[in-house]
Amino acid sequence: MTATETATTATEKTTFDVLVIGAGISGMYQLHLLREEGLSVRVLEAGSDVGGTWHWNRYPGARLDSESYSYQYAFATDMLEDWDWSELFAGQPELERYYQTVADRYDLRRDIEFDTRVTAMAFDEQANTWTVTTDTGKTFVAPLVITCTGVLSAPIYPHIPGIDRFKGERYHTALWPAETVTLENKKVIVIGTGATGIQAITEVAKTAGHLTVFQRTANWAVPLRNQAMTPERMAEIRAGYPDMFENLQHTFSGFLHDWDPVPTTAYTPEELQERFQQAWNGPGFAKWMGLPNDIASSAEANQKWCDFLVERIRERVTDPATAALLTPNDHYFGTKRVPCESGYYEVFNQDNVDLISLKQNPILEITETGVRTETGDIDADVIIFATGFEAFSGALKRIDITGVGGITLEQAWSDGPVTYLGVQVAGFPNLFIMGGPHGKGGHGNGPRCAEKVQEWMTDFAKHIFDESIVRVEADPAAQREWSDEVQERAMKGLMAQTKSAFFGDNLADDDPAKPRKRTYLAYVGALDEYVDRLKNLTKNGYPGFVITS
Ligand code: NA7
């Protein structure tokens, strides 16, 4: 390419009605819906293909813990007819194939710019448009921008001295390469025992020469109970799709399992053990969202379930000291994301696996050959960081977003995110955030939560263009009220007592991204309650937004 060509590319401007950022579960459906309304849309996607979470998280063992058939687009009716799920809880390759097939069938890729990461966005107060800059040197302009950047898409690494010094292979689970990574017979270290780490550790332990697991906090993990799907079971499920999709709109977070209204207090001690055993034998989140509902709110009820789980860990882990290390002692069940596992606890009975508690034996530094702990060096060929994400707000904060009066989103959120209904931020007109903080899009069963929010967004976008609206902006008072409500409701629950990614506690204290105040980042209410609130906005002329025609 000549210098002149480079300059032309760098200054190229492309104008659309709507720019969508992200071609994951939300962005793909958003594109489809907006196109159906006749709007010109461009999707900017950092990855090389569609699928979001299922494009990036290719680590060994990556798998759903929502039942596969409950976690697919309801709108893609032809795929409901002919897509057979091979397992009750599908693995990453199958999910990636599913979203790629949706893109093929609905011809989505022609409007998606791949390998294009949005780096900055600035609002033009005269033109009421956003100018969006990308790492490819291209600039896009649109009156409306919808971010579909996901709630778990900004990976974080631990702040350990020497992290870049390591000469072996180094991977973050959420940035796993597409090329085959061979771990067989290698010395592997995994740092992190969240939902991701637990899946990866179980898989890596099968072939690694030696695996050292570094655990900061023991987690309450429950058996996934995956199984192969038979044609008969698939046919039965397919016949029930209309009812299932309707019902899933009314479970708490769009999962097949919902809180049982019969509380633990309604059972005798013996009956309660039977009830717990029944939940334990069930698939996936039967052992979370399917439990007696007071487990979510009462410390006493929660402790009874924790006691049941402690017994299960003791039964499965041979060495009592290791079992004790794997038993959580600082938080109630379900106050962090509950990992689902497939043989995780038994991994620690293997000769090739060691468990090290970071609280007892912290990593002092990473060296060229492994890690240095207080009690000695551990060599490794591979270090895997399963250390999670700057959840909910990270993907947006990592874009340099400048709104009215030159205020950046990072500045607006320095005390923690504030939003109006999780869809807009005051001072950032014509910018809608889907699946960011304080909303329900992308939090829960991904497709179930995203679909309803995207459909609401599409109605609003249509209204904006039909009514020649030039500017829509959250009213600061409405934003305050909503953000306070989110915080107050969260502080009433058991979750508030637990350090977790839901409050940004997982960010290191010296991380500049850590907000000055500890605020709740998600939304505590039920899916249908949230969707009703969005629908009421549409019905009542969008109160809480300042709208200029
Ligand atoms: P999580 O659930 O945030 O887990 C991250 C894990 O990494 C967790 O065990 C953390 O310990 C650990 N961690 C984080 N930072 C460090 C440092 N600095 N040192 C050591 N260990 C650390 O992320 P996941 O990817 O597992 O799961 C996220 C979502 O993916 C989940 O909601 C599912 O939807 C799938 P901690 O518990 O914070 O002490």
Side-chain angles (χ1 to χ4, degrees), residues 19 94 124 127 129 154 167 205 249-250 260 353 402 418 437 439 468:
L19 288 169
E94 188 169 0
D124 180 332
T129 55
K167 291 239 161 79
Q249 292 313 316
H250 306 293
D260 181 350
V353 180
T402 309
V418 280
S468 304

Side-chain angles (χ1 to χ4, degrees), residues 152 158 191-197 216-217 336-337 358 386-389 506:
L152 297 165
I191 302 177
T193 54
T196 298
R216 186 163 71 178
T217 310
K336 298 174 87 150
R337 168 52 149 90
L358 286 164
T387 41
F389 304 88
N506 58 330

Side-chain angles (χ1 to χ4, degrees), residues 57 59 65 152 156-160 172-173 191-199 214-219 336-337 358-359 363 386-389 499-502 505-506 508:
N57 287 265
Y59 61 86
D65 36 27
L152 297 165
I156 54 170
Y157 287 90
H159 290 201
I160 304 174
H172 192 293
T173 47
I191 302 177
T193 54
T196 298
I198 282 176
Q199 287 184 335
F214 282 97
Q215 170 188 274
R216 186 163 71 178
T217 310
N219 240 317
K336 298 174 87 150
R337 168 52 149 90
L358 286 164
K359 288 183 177 141
I363 297 176
T387 41
F389 304 88
K499 284 188 168 185
S500 76
F502 289 108
D505 299 312
N506 58 330

